[in-house]
Amino acid sequence: MSIKIIHVGLGGWGGNWAVNAIPAVAEVEVAAVADPNPATLKSVRTKLGLPEAQAFPSLTAALEAVDAEAVVITAPAVTHVPLALEALEAGKHVLVEKPFANTAEEAATAARRAEELGLVLQVSQNYRNYPAPRAVQRMLQENAIGELAAISIDFRKWDNDLAFEEHPHYRFPHPMINDMAIHHFDLLRKITGEEAVRVYTKVKDPSYSKYLEEASAVITIELASGLVVSYRGSWVSRGAPTAWAGDWHIAGESGEIYFTSRGGPDDDPGAADVVTLRRPGGEAEPVELAPQDLFGRAAGLRLFADAIVNGTTPETVGTANLGSLALMEAAARSAASGRVEDVRLP
């Protein structure tokens, strides 16, 4: 059985979803696409080979015209919750790109409404759907390195060449925290099973940064257990670039785990996933990773379809994603205030 979906938001990353992520998932069928930009709508519709009757200028128009069980939202972040609520009130399940919303309180409104209506609202936290973080999560659950002492995360990319007017990241609100670090915050919650309670962010970009807001950040995160996490991220680093999931070092009483993820080519995105385990006095040994046939967004979309058909609960269901948003929100508040900020779950 395939789930019929309406895909709304086709520009930029949304167009990439339409062409690369959604077609890989046999469990879903595109019933309609929607975007307010006529040129974008036509371009994506043509690439997908869809007739004009399946293309609409808005989600409202698509909901009125086609029969579908679910809506996939890849429109700009400020529209996520309004579109999600519209779809939910129409009786549709919803998969929404990250960040779920710009505030945790706003996200909670949609997440709780989905629960009231008995509908699935899943957030696409695609970095979870790779073999390395899944393996590390299992290792920590099995106490592979004993009591944890510290976690450090490094993310480095150079994304500072285009003219300001040509690059959407340059205008993105809190581009390091809201657009990138949110992935790492969410992975942190996944692998440790813990929530963050306090955070301190320091931002100071070089003069050559073309970003309106922070292109780099150093963030200290305190988890509920008291464990302290050190995060360093940059869009304007000339250092050796990391994979998209960053470089992770997890120190424990009886060893250290290193992992990196989401650095492989488009045709084999899990190829660069690496996990190693080093015992005191020994060499780092590779950890065998479980094979996967789908990764990232496509794997998450399959989980979404399974939740609709079989009644399972996705691990990134809306209410479960609020901790990642609350940490993101607190990190941005700290960047502005210069103070340690509490992570407040709505």
Side-chain angles (χ1 to χ4, degrees), residues 1-289:
M1 175 184 176
S2 63
I3 300 298
K4 291 183 178 180
I5 65 169
I6 297 170
H7 180 195
V8 56
L10 308 176
W13 193 233
N16 187 288
W17 264 87
V19 174
N20 295 314
I22 294 174
V25 184
E27 291 84 354
V28 301
E29 174 188 348
V30 177
V33 292
D35 194 279
N37 185 302
T40 298
L41 184 62
K42 181 179 179 180
S43 173
V44 172
R45 178 183 66 78
T46 302
K47 288 177 183 177
L48 297 179
L50 295 176
E52 288 189 33
Q54 288 179 254
F56 300 90
S58 67
L59 174 60
T60 303
L63 288 170
E64 291 174 351
V66 303
D67 182 29
E69 289 88 11
V71 174
V72 173
I73 300 170
T74 60
V78 294
T79 69
H80 285 180
V81 168
L83 289 171
L85 287 170
E86 180 180 2
L88 290 169
E89 296 300 340
K92 312 302 180 184
H93 304 281
V94 173
L95 175 64
V96 59
E97 250 289 7
K98 66 81 207 167
F100 184 178
N102 287 323
T103 70
E105 190 63 45
E106 183 188 21
T109 302
R112 290 166 183 160
R113 185 57 178 154
E115 287 191 335
E116 292 170 356
L117 295 169
L119 295 167
V120 177
L121 196 170
Q122 177 182 325
V123 182
S124 178
Q125 290 287 357
N126 55 308
Y127 284 34
R128 290 181 174 233
N129 301 319
Y130 284 82
R134 289 181 175 183
V136 173
Q137 180 184 28
R138 290 193 298 270
M139 293 171 74
L140 296 188
Q141 288 172 342
E142 295 166 0
N143 206 32
I145 55 172
E147 180 183 350
L148 300 188
I151 297 177
S152 64
I153 310 161
D154 285 282
F155 171 81
R156 296 181 300 275
K157 295 285 185 185
W158 175 260
D159 191 21
N160 198 49
D161 288 330
L162 292 176
F164 172 79
E165 297 79 8
E166 298 174 10
H167 202 308
H169 268 163
Y170 302 163
R171 301 181 188 85
F172 200 95
H174 294 294
M176 175 46 59
I177 295 170
N178 289 14
D179 192 45
M180 196 64 241
I182 179 65
H183 285 295
H184 306 125
F185 296 161
D186 189 67
L187 279 183
L188 178 65
R189 295 178 59 241
K190 174 182 174 63
I191 66 171
T192 64
E194 289 196 57
E195 297 291 355
V197 293
R198 274 172 288 277
V199 61
Y200 175 66
T201 304
K202 183 64 178 177
V203 172
K204 176 64 173 74
D205 284 330
S207 61
Y208 54 79
S209 170
K210 298 177 183 176
Y211 289 69
L212 277 178
E213 298 190 34
E214 85 286 333
S216 61
V218 177
I219 305 171
T220 302
I221 303 163
E222 180 186 347
L223 300 183
S225 65
L227 183 68
V228 176
V229 179
S230 174
Y231 179 86
R232 297 182 298 182
S234 178
W235 281 121
V236 291
S237 173
R238 284 301 194 183
T242 65
W244 287 102
D247 287 343
W248 293 62
H249 290 83
I250 305 170
E253 181 182 7
S254 58
E256 178 189 52
I257 296 170
Y258 163 82
F259 85 88
T260 189
S261 177
R262 198 173 180 269
D266 289 343
D267 59 347
D268 190 6
D273 274 35
V274 173
V275 180
T276 62
L277 172 62
R278 187 186 64 80
R279 297 298 184 188
E283 297 293 325
E285 299 288 342
V287 174
E288 185 176 355
L289 303 181

